[in-house]
């Protein structure tokens, strides 16, 4: 927004204008500043005046007009105090002039320097064109703004820029207007700055869609007389009653903003004429805070004496204010002409809060700048708390402030959103996998830091790489992003594969040397001999040289087959054991085996067709369990010597007990239908049946005698086909 001085300007006249603006700033403030405060503001003014000297805005005005105007908005329209005023006056000096944050710090101290720093960072982000999405901007602003005043001053800055947008070129107008709609208006809304929000929206619409904007403005003008008449007629009986009640009040018709009318037309797809709430009737009562709730309801009762309310459209934001502090009582009533009219009832204090944000609330109570700190804290609470009104807050705000995201810059100023606790290495991987793989460290604010260095929001990071760097498994201990993790893992996998390939080649060469054939049988012998888990393991360990092949010569080999038995019996893993049992033909035969006494485990009720094992229990009895029974795994790992392979005798049909769990929608006769299916259709004996129903649904367990898994499966299918039954499972 800078432009160099033009000729022929009445400098004396301008100097006077600037001074007048400055004096008005002090005079119209809502606070009586003390001497120190006035001195700080004066100092800020002198420094900004000097720093922006000779620079003009696009409009041709001296640049200093802008910071002074922003400061005026900050105090008059938002209600902030001296620190914010001074910061607003200085808000562009670090960005646009030679002064640095350090200078500001030594001149004004750390609080103002912190605010200017936040504002400058935000300015930087907005200079980056394109890539970053609007939703992210909002998060960025909140992340960078340690002090809520940063956001508020930024809003004032944006408001002034919007008010003076006329002098900007068309493309800039569009960009600034869009940003305003996406970022600043919602921010203002969250902070409860309704007046500011509406003005931002209207101005944005004016530049984004001038035709629509002008049309609505024109229509509002055309309909004004009719509207006024209607409002007068509508409010007349209310005035009379309110007068009688002795309350002191204001009642008027309040126009909706152009933007909100347009928004309604657009979202509902209706023409201007059909937007019924182009205006609302507002009743503001002048009352003590202690009586305001009761008085508002008194007004409500008067309004509804005359007009019928729509019960669906009563909004009581007095008992439970909105998260941003908004308090009001809204009702929509039917007018005599058959038109719905919204009536908003609130106290003076509530109205001030609604229009100008919570600042107004504190200002209302005491006209000192102490109250401001209270407000700042309150805003912070509002921003940070999700508890008050979760519905209002389910968006970026909560997400961001609680969460766990930081914003980090590349050396070129590009911004990256990263999870909380991200390290230099995460950042490297975020930019490019190759950069991550070669990363040896980073530079954060010119300081060299290790790979594992944890980043903070606002850090600008340069990655340092080396050609000989390789990812290693240690890296997994400190990276947090999924991207880095999977890249490292995939690298490690690739690396392992190539080592395995090397190992396999080496082994095969050695096998040839000793005349051993390469087949699965021999590989299995080798796995046992070297006590490894799998062929992959074998190849890998050979490739890593942690297995020496020199003792292959000790193996007894005949016709290419390894005869040598493993020296020690290997303890197999649970998976291996289960695997061997599934395939093994020489197993204990369950069913009609006269040689072994066995009992079917009562925990899992195995039936023929299930994969099973036998376990020799303390009574020397063989217990048969299903392999997927939860008791099986500990047996296999702790008492593997007591576990035997087992299989079913398929020659005989015997019945076994199995449990079925079912649930669904209850209805009359459903239990009878189930028992019919089980006993008549399937000829299955029921041992127990237990159905519980509540609230129209039922849950049940049935134990039945079945022959095998196939039998059970078809029973389950039949049960599932009964109307109302939704879930049928075998009891595990
Ligand atoms: Mn500015």
């Amino acid at each position: 927004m800078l432009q160099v001085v033009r000729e022929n300007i009445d400098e004396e006249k301008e100097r006077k204008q600037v001074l007048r603006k400055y004096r008005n700033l002090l005079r119209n403030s809502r606070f009586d500043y003390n001497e120190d405060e006035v001195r700080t503001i004066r100092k800020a003014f002198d420094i900004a005046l000097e720093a922006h000297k000779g620079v003009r805005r696009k409009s041709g005005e001296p640049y200093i007009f802008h910071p002074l105007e922003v400061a005026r908005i900050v105090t008059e329209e938002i209600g902030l105090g001296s620190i914010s005023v001074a910061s607003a006056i200085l808000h562009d000096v670090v960005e646009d002039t030679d002064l640095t944050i350090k200078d500001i710090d030594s001149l004004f101290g750390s609080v103002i320097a912190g605010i200017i720093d936040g504002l400058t960072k935000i300015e930087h982000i907005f200079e980056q064109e394109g890539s970053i999405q609007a939703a992210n901007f909002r998060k960025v602003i909140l992340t960078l703004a340690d002090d809520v005043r940063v956001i508020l001053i930024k809003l004032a800055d944006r408001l002034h820029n919007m008010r003076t947008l006329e002098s900007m070129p068309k493309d800039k107008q569009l960009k600034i207007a869009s940003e305003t709609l996406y970022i600043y208006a919602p921010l203002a809304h969250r902070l409860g700055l309704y007046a500011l929000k509406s003005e931002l929206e209207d101005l944005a619409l004016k530049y984004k869609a001038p035709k629509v904007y002008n049309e609505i403005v024109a229509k509002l003008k055309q309909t004004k007389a009719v509207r006024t008449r209607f409002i007068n007629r509508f409010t007349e009986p209310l005035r009379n009653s309110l007068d009688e009640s002795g309350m002191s009040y204001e009642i008027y018709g309040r126009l909706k903003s152009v933007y909100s009318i347009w928004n309604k037309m657009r979202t509902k797809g209706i023409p201007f004429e059909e937007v019924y709430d182009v205006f609302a009737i507002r009743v503001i009562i002048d009352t003590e805070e202690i009586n305001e709730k009761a008085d508002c309801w008194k007004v409500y009762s008067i309004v509804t004496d005359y007009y019928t309310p729509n019960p669906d459209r009563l909004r009581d934001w007095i008992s439970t204010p909105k998260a941003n502090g908004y308090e009001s009582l809204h009702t929509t009533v039917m007018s005599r002409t058959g038109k719905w009219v919204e009536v908003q009832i609130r106290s003076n204090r509530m109205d001030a809060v609604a229009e100008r944000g919570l600042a107004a609330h504190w200002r209302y109570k005491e006209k000192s700048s102490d109250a401001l700190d209270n407000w700042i804290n309150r805003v912070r609470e509002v921003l940070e708390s999700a508890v008050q009104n979760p519905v209002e807050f389910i968006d970026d705000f909560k997400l961001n402030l609680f969460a766990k995201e930081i914003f980090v810059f590349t050396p070129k100023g590009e911004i990256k959103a990263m999870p909380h606790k991200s390290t230099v290495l995460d950042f490297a991987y975020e930019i490019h996998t190759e950069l991550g793989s070669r990363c040896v460290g980073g530079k954060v604010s010119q300081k060299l830091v290790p790979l594992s260095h944890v980043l903070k929001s606002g850090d600008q990071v340069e990655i340092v790489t080396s050609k000989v760097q390789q990812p290693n498994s240690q890296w997994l201990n400190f990276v947090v992003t999924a991207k880095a993790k999977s890249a490292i893992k995939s690298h490690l996998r690739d690396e392992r594969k190539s080592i395995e390939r090397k190992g396999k080649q080496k082994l095969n060469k050695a096998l040839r040397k000793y005349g051993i054939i390469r087949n699965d049988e021999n590989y299995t012998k080798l796995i046992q001999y070297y006590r490894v888990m799998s062929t992959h393991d074998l190849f890998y360990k050979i490739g890593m040289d942690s297995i020496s092949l020199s003792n292959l010569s000790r193996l007894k080999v005949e016709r290419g087959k390894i005869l040598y038995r493993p020296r020690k019996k290997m303890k197999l893993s649970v998976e291996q054991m289960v695997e061997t049992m599934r395939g093994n033909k020489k197993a204990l035969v369950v069913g009609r085996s006269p040689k072994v006494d066995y009992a079917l485990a009562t925990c899992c009720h195995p039936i023929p067709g299930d994969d099973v094992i036998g376990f020799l229990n303390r009574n020397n009895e063989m217990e048969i369990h299903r392999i997927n029974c939860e008791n099986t795994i500990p047996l296999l790992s702790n008492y593997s010597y007591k576990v035997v392979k087992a299989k079913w005798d398929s020659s005989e049909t015997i019945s076994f007990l199995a449990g079925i769990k079912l649930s669904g929608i209850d209805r009359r006769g459903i239990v009878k239908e189930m028992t019919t299916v089980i006993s008549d259709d399937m000829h299955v004996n029921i041992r127990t049946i237990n159905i519980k129903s509540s609230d129209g649904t039922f849950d049940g367990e049935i134990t039945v005698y079945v022959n095998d898994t196939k039998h059970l499966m078809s029973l389950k299918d039949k049960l599932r086909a009964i109307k109302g039954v939704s879930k049928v499972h075998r009891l595990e």
Side-chain angles (χ1 to χ4, degrees):
M1 296 206 181
L2 308 183
Q3 203 168 311
V4 184
V5 191
R6 291 175 303 186
E7 304 289 318
N8 308 325
I9 282 169
D10 188 342
E11 285 184 20
E12 183 52 28
K13 193 177 145 210
E14 268 183 11
R15 211 178 57 83
K16 277 186 183 155
Q17 266 182 317
V18 170
L19 279 176
R20 193 162 52 240
K21 273 186 185 290
Y22 170 71
R23 281 195 211 102
N24 281 339
L25 179 65
L26 289 183
R27 199 174 305 133
N28 297 340
S29 163
R30 293 168 189 271
F31 303 105
D32 296 324
Y33 297 124
N34 64 32
E35 255 174 62
D36 277 354
E37 289 171 329
V38 173
R39 209 173 303 128
T40 304
I41 295 173
R42 176 76 212 197
K43 193 158 93 183
F45 171 61
D46 289 340
I47 284 169
L49 187 62
E50 184 58 31
H52 293 301
K53 196 173 178 181
V55 182
R56 290 179 181 277
R57 302 193 92 211
K58 275 267 170 1
S59 59
E61 288 172 347
Y63 196 84
I64 191 71
F65 277 25
H66 167 64
L68 284 176
E69 192 58 26
V70 173
R72 191 195 61 72
I73 295 170
V74 157
T75 179
E76 280 181 40
E77 298 183 39
I78 304 180
L80 301 178
S82 62
I83 299 244
S84 307
V85 170
S87 302
I89 296 174
L90 294 166
H91 83 271
D92 275 335
V93 296
V94 172
E95 180 62 23
D96 294 342
T97 76
D98 294 335
L99 284 172
T100 63
I101 290 295
K102 244 177 147 181
D103 298 333
I104 302 290
D105 197 332
S106 56
L107 284 164
F108 294 94
S110 62
V111 176
I112 291 182
I115 294 173
I116 304 296
D117 190 33
L119 287 163
T120 309
K121 277 180 180 159
I122 291 171
E123 203 58 48
H124 273 291
I125 298 160
F126 280 89
E127 276 172 10
Q128 335 269 316
E129 300 275 338
S131 71
I132 181 164
Q133 285 182 340
N136 270 346
F137 276 126
R138 230 180 299 164
K139 290 189 193 172
V140 173
I141 289 177
L142 288 169
T143 316
L144 296 183
D146 287 334
D147 190 321
V148 180
R149 284 176 287 205
V150 173
I151 302 177
L152 297 165
I153 296 168
K154 190 68 212 165
L155 281 170
D157 180 34
R158 176 51 55 125
L159 181 60
H160 185 241
N161 286 336
M162 286 302 291
R163 284 176 182 169
T164 53
L165 202 56
E166 198 59 63
S167 43
M168 296 300 278
K170 188 81 190 154
D171 61 322
K172 281 263 169 141
Q173 284 180 350
L174 282 175
K175 179 177 184 272
I176 294 171
S178 303
E179 262 173 26
T180 299
L181 273 186
Y182 281 123
I183 301 147
Y184 292 102
L187 262 174
H189 181 74
R190 284 297 170 277
L191 294 170
L193 301 162
Y194 278 86
L196 204 144
K197 172 212 160 211
S198 302
E199 190 179 345
L200 284 176
E201 283 175 344
D202 280 3
L203 286 167
L205 186 66
K206 184 173 157 189
Y207 289 99
K208 269 193 73 122
K211 233 180 111 191
V212 178
Y213 177 87
N214 290 329
E215 245 172 60
I216 295 175
V217 170
K219 285 202 165 139
L220 284 173
K221 224 181 209 168
Q222 279 165 27
T223 50
K224 193 171 176 219
V226 179
R227 200 163 47 240
T228 309
R229 215 163 31 241
F230 178 90
I231 290 169
N232 287 340
R233 228 171 265 162
F234 181 89
T235 55
E236 200 197 325
L238 303 181
R239 283 174 203 282
N240 294 337
S241 277
L242 286 165
D243 286 342
E244 268 170 42
S245 77
M247 268 191 267
S248 141
Y249 68 94
E250 250 183 288
I251 185 166
Y252 55 86
R254 161 104 188 161
L255 264 190
K256 286 251 155 105
S257 73
V258 177
Y259 181 84
S260 61
I261 292 168
W262 171 72
N263 202 28
K264 200 147 240 179
M265 290 164 62
R266 188 183 52 158
T267 53
K268 301 221 160 136
I270 52 176
F272 175 88
E273 289 69 24
E274 282 173 37
V275 179
Y276 75 84
D277 51 355
V278 165
F279 66 92
I281 300 294
R282 190 172 287 173
V283 187
I284 296 171
I285 44 182
D286 189 6
T287 179
E288 293 294 312
E289 199 170 336
I290 190 162
N291 298 325
E292 57 186 3
K293 188 173 173 181
D295 286 349
C296 285
W297 283 103
K298 214 183 277 173
V299 175
Y300 173 82
S301 136
I302 290 172
V303 172
T304 52
D305 277 349
Y306 291 94
Y307 304 109
T308 315
N310 181 338
D312 292 339
R313 300 199 53 100
L314 177 65
R315 301 281 180 271
D316 176 10
W317 283 305
I318 294 177
S319 308
T320 38
K322 287 192 188 180
N324 61 18
Y326 184 85
E327 293 169 77
S328 193
L329 184 62
H330 292 191
T331 177
T332 300
V333 299
M334 181 57 78
S335 69
R336 300 266 151 79
T337 54
K339 190 172 136 77
W340 290 111
V341 176
E342 183 179 286
V343 182
Q344 306 173 342
I345 304 161
R346 51 174 78 154
S347 69
N348 263 331
R349 182 193 61 83
M350 293 173 192
D351 189 55
V353 172
E355 290 297 305
R356 278 175 278 129
L358 281 163
H361 169 76
W362 296 105
R363 223 157 43 217
Y364 224 79
K365 290 197 150 172
E366 38 187 326
K367 292 199 170 183
S368 85
S369 38
D370 273 355
L372 247 152
D373 289 337
N374 288 337
W375 182 57
I376 302 279
N377 288 334
R378 174 90 179 109
V379 168
R380 187 157 270 293
E381 270 168 37
V382 165
L383 280 172
E384 287 180 350
S385 86
V387 267
Q388 306 178 338
N389 190 343
V391 185
E392 286 284 313
F393 253 167
I394 299 178
D395 64 7
D396 325 325
F397 280 79
K398 181 185 95 190
L399 280 176
N400 184 50
L401 280 171
F402 279 90
K404 324 298 182 153
E405 230 177 359
I406 56 165
F407 293 91
V408 188
F409 299 87
T410 67
K412 282 184 188 155
E414 201 185 324
I415 189 160
K416 297 274 176 199
M418 309 276 301
H420 185 58
K421 292 217 167 132
S422 286
T423 59
V424 166
L425 187 57
D426 283 301
F427 184 72
Y429 272 110
E430 187 63 31
I431 296 171
H432 198 279
T433 309
E434 194 55 28
L435 199 62
S437 303
R438 301 271 174 250
C439 179
V440 289
K443 270 189 201 163
V444 176
S445 334
Q446 317 304 324
K447 248 179 69 189
L448 215 52
V449 294
L451 290 173
S452 57
H453 177 84
V454 175
L455 299 172
K456 295 191 312 290
S457 248
D459 279 349
Q460 191 161 35
V461 189
E462 190 186 329
I463 297 299
V464 183
T465 59
S466 154
K467 268 186 197 157
V468 295
Q469 178 67 302
Q470 288 272 354
N472 65 59
S473 55
Q474 301 281 302
W475 288 10
L476 292 169
N477 298 337
F478 56 80
V479 293
V480 299
T481 55
K483 195 169 176 186
K485 275 184 188 160
S486 73
I488 296 167
K489 280 185 187 159
S490 122
H491 180 93
L492 295 176
R493 252 195 318 273
D494 289 351
E495 197 179 64
R496 191 184 160 99
K497 268 190 200 147
S498 88
I499 292 169
E500 280 178 21
R501 254 196 311 278
K502 216 173 91 194
K504 191 176 180 182
Q505 281 167 6
K506 212 168 147 189
L507 175 65
N508 289 344
K509 203 174 147 196
L511 294 180
R512 254 198 313 278
K513 187 174 158 194
Y514 296 108
I516 302 169
I517 294 169
R518 283 173 282 151
N519 62 12
D520 285 349
E521 204 186 325
N522 281 340
Y523 280 146
T524 308
K525 287 254 167 68
L526 288 170
I527 287 169
Q528 292 174 336
Y529 181 72
Y530 288 113
R531 300 180 195 185
V532 291
M533 296 297 290
S534 61
T535 46
H536 287 296
D537 234 20
L538 182 69
F539 299 152
Y540 180 71
K541 288 200 167 133
I542 294 168
M544 292 292 285
D545 286 326
S546 60
I547 284 180
S548 155
L549 293 175
S550 62
N551 47 11
L552 271 182
S553 59
R554 287 191 223 145
L555 292 171
K556 226 178 235 168
V557 180
E558 206 170 86
R559 268 183 282 151
K561 252 180 152 182
I562 301 171
L563 294 179
Y564 205 98
R565 286 186 60 82
R567 283 173 302 183
K568 226 183 194 176
K569 206 169 175 241
M570 268 294 302
K571 201 177 167 191
L572 294 176
S573 72
V574 174
E575 289 86 357
Q576 281 172 315
M577 191 139 189
V578 169
E579 218 28 66
T580 21
M581 272 183 304
R582 274 184 210 271
N584 205 312
K585 286 187 181 100
K586 280 182 207 150
L588 164 76
V589 179
V590 187
R592 276 188 113 193
S593 178
K595 290 168 208 142
V596 190
D597 269 344
Y598 68 86
L600 295 176
T602 49
C603 45
C604 55
H605 293 297
I607 60 173
D610 286 334
D611 282 328
V612 287
I613 56 151
F615 171 67
L616 202 60
N617 68 16
R618 269 187 243 155
N619 309 327
N620 265 349
E621 212 178 23
M622 193 60 75
E623 273 177 27
I624 306 297
H625 288 263
R626 283 156 69 184
I627 273 180
N628 57 3
C629 166
E630 55 179 317
N631 293 328
T632 306
I633 301 300
L635 293 181
L636 280 169
S637 43
N638 298 326
Y639 306 100
S640 58
Y641 59 96
K642 285 182 156 197
V643 174
V644 296
K645 303 131 201 171
K647 65 169 203 153
W648 299 94
D649 175 6
S650 52
S651 63
E652 199 72 26
T653 309
I654 319 172
S655 293
F656 294 88
L657 199 60
I660 294 173
K661 206 177 158 69
L662 28 78
S663 59
I665 312 287
D666 200 10
R667 65 178 165 82
R668 273 180 71 149
I670 194 167
V671 175
K672 182 157 186 302
E673 225 170 293
M674 287 190 290
T675 53
T676 310
V677 164
I678 298 168
S679 51
D680 296 357
D681 293 10
M682 298 289 295
H683 306 292
V684 167
N685 285 325
I686 299 176
R687 188 179 169 217
T688 62
I689 180 160
N690 185 4
I691 308 276
K692 270 179 288 182
S693 79
S694 71
D695 290 339
T697 65
F698 74 89
D699 264 301
E701 277 180 28
I702 301 176
T703 46
V704 290
Y705 290 96
V706 291
N707 300 331
D708 54 21
T709 44
K710 249 166 122 186
H711 192 192
L712 180 66
M713 201 101 77
S714 62
L715 176 62
K716 285 198 299 186
D717 288 344
K718 283 260 168 85
L719 287 171
R720 221 175 264 126
I722 296 172
K723 196 180 148 219
V725 175
S726 57
K727 278 185 188 152
V728 181
H729 294 290
R730 175 158 174 210
L731 274 172
E732 293 298 343

